[in-house]
Amino acid sequence: MQRFFVLAILILLGWLTYRLSPILSPFLIAGILAYLGNPLVTRLQRHRIGRTWGTTLVFVLVILILAGITMALLPVIRHQSVLFIEYLQKYAELLQTQIIPQFSARIGIHLDSQSITHYATANAQKLAGWLGRSLQLALSSGSGLISSVLSIILVPVLGFYLLRDWPRLIARIAALIPPHYLPISQHLASDADTMLMAFLRGQLLVMLALGTSYAIGLSIVGLQTAILVGLVAGLLSFVPYLGVVSGIAMASLAMYVQTGAFLPILWVLIVFGIGQILESMVFTPYLVGDRIGLHPVAVIFAVLAGGELFGFVGLLLALPVTAVLIALLRHLHGWYLQSPYYLGKES
């Protein structure tokens, strides 16, 4: 009976997450921020700084850092974004006048550049029209605009209160667990917490290190949109291979339009190749370590499945939930290897 009750609770939580996913994003983001900031506030408490004052200090520090980074990078990102859009337009012209005719002559098959260009232009116009209508609908919908603004405002407010009351919340959750399950629950929670904290902090540091490496390397080889490409590739690197593939595509296109030749693209490939070597030999071993053990296939599946089932909320939940499940599966594997069934001691 108890097992069915627990199963019913889990099904109810999954259903509620699915139904409430449009409004859960700010709460989940705030929860992740509070979870990441809790060790620092706890450390400040050990130096006789109250929980509220410690939370305030951490929030002020984070806001100052983010504001400084935004003020430093926003003009550059804006300039390079405009430049990259111009590159896309120039590439479309080159595709019609040079690339398709040359490729057609080399393979000996006639390709109608006009038809290809017309097809691409028509679909681009449809996409632009759809985006324009979506933007107009979002701007004309007062409730949607208010909801977006409220979500942005809610994240720091919710994060502050969650971070301040984090120990109290954990204590209340622990009080709901039956006493005879409490020791094993605490053991599992401790292992899951270790893995999840290492994963989140390590992954954020790897994303930052990769984005910085790509931006520096592409700047050295002369790419004028290096910071934009490095930022996009770094942010997308939380999914294995997505960041590097997107970065190579963006950087190769920009480099070809910028130089008018294919040979400089080789430098782009070298930069991303060095970045991958640094990730596998330096960044991941030192910043994440061997405590995670998330296979790239599992990460890709988790992100795709989370996004398909729960949208943006699923993307936020996918990797943390997968990290916790991996920790639980390791314990189940250990119990199985010590079980009478595995050892052949069943009568």
Side-chain angles (χ1 to χ4, degrees), residues 92 95-96 100 112-127:
L95 191 67
Q96 178 181 356
I100 293 179
D112 188 358
S113 60
Q114 295 292 335
S115 299
I116 296 175
T117 305
H118 176 73
Y119 176 79
T121 304
N123 283 276
Q125 290 176 348
K126 290 180 181 179
L127 179 60

Side-chain angles (χ1 to χ4, degrees), residues 10-92:
L10 293 176
I11 293 175
L12 178 62
L13 289 176
W15 180 79
L16 287 175
T17 302
Y18 175 75
R19 295 295 298 175
L20 298 176
S21 57
I23 65 171
L24 285 179
S25 298
F27 294 89
L28 290 174
I29 295 174
I32 293 173
L33 294 177
Y35 177 74
L36 291 173
N38 180 61
L40 181 56
V41 177
T42 302
R43 188 172 301 177
L44 291 175
Q45 280 187 287
R46 296 172 184 169
H47 292 82
R48 298 181 180 180
I49 297 177
R51 185 83 190 180
T52 301
W53 281 108
T55 302
T56 304
L57 288 175
V58 170
F59 259 76
V60 169
L61 179 62
V62 171
I63 290 174
L64 290 176
I65 293 175
L66 291 179
I69 294 174
T70 302
M71 292 178 63
L73 292 182
L74 187 59
V76 179
I77 296 299
R78 182 172 55 188
H79 170 71
Q80 295 192 4
S81 298
V82 173
L83 188 61
F84 187 76
I85 293 175
E86 294 178 358
Y87 283 168
L88 287 176
Q89 296 173 346
K90 292 180 181 178
Y91 182 75

Side-chain angles (χ1 to χ4, degrees), residues 69-252:
I69 294 174
T70 302
M71 292 178 63
L73 292 182
L74 187 59
V76 179
I77 296 299
R78 182 172 55 188
H79 170 71
Q80 295 192 4
S81 298
V82 173
L83 188 61
F84 187 76
I85 293 175
E86 294 178 358
Y87 283 168
L88 287 176
Q89 296 173 346
K90 292 180 181 178
Y91 182 75
E93 297 175 1
L94 291 173
L95 191 67
Q96 178 181 356
T97 59
Q98 296 182 18
I99 298 177
I100 293 179
Q102 292 177 1
F103 182 73
S104 176
R106 288 187 178 183
I107 64 176
I109 299 176
H110 176 68
L111 297 175
D112 188 358
S113 60
Q114 295 292 335
S115 299
I116 296 175
T117 305
H118 176 73
Y119 176 79
T121 304
N123 283 276
Q125 290 176 348
K126 290 180 181 179
L127 179 60
W130 180 80
L131 291 174
R133 289 191 298 271
S134 300
L135 180 60
Q136 184 178 4
L137 179 62
L139 293 176
S140 62
S141 174
S143 60
L145 182 60
I146 292 174
S147 177
S148 301
V149 174
L150 285 178
S151 296
I152 296 174
I153 297 175
L154 275 177
V155 169
V157 175
L158 293 172
F160 178 86
Y161 286 110
L162 287 174
L163 181 55
R164 188 192 65 179
D165 300 330
W166 192 264
R168 194 179 308 170
L169 295 173
I170 297 299
R172 289 183 178 179
I173 294 174
L176 297 175
I177 301 174
H180 55 284
Y181 286 128
L182 192 57
I184 186 61
S185 299
Q186 290 177 335
H187 183 59
L188 290 175
S190 176
D191 287 352
D193 174 66
T194 301
M195 171 174 281
L196 184 56
M197 181 61 72
F199 172 78
L200 290 176
R201 288 194 298 193
Q203 193 63 37
L204 289 174
L205 290 174
V206 169
M207 291 166 58
L208 178 61
L210 277 177
T212 304
S213 300
Y214 292 148
I216 294 175
L218 294 173
S219 298
I220 292 175
V221 299
L223 185 66
Q224 295 180 359
T225 57
I227 296 179
L228 174 66
V229 174
L231 178 64
V232 173
L235 290 176
L236 294 179
S237 63
F238 73 95
V239 179
Y241 310 116
L242 179 60
V244 63
V245 171
S246 302
I248 289 175
M250 292 178 62
S252 298

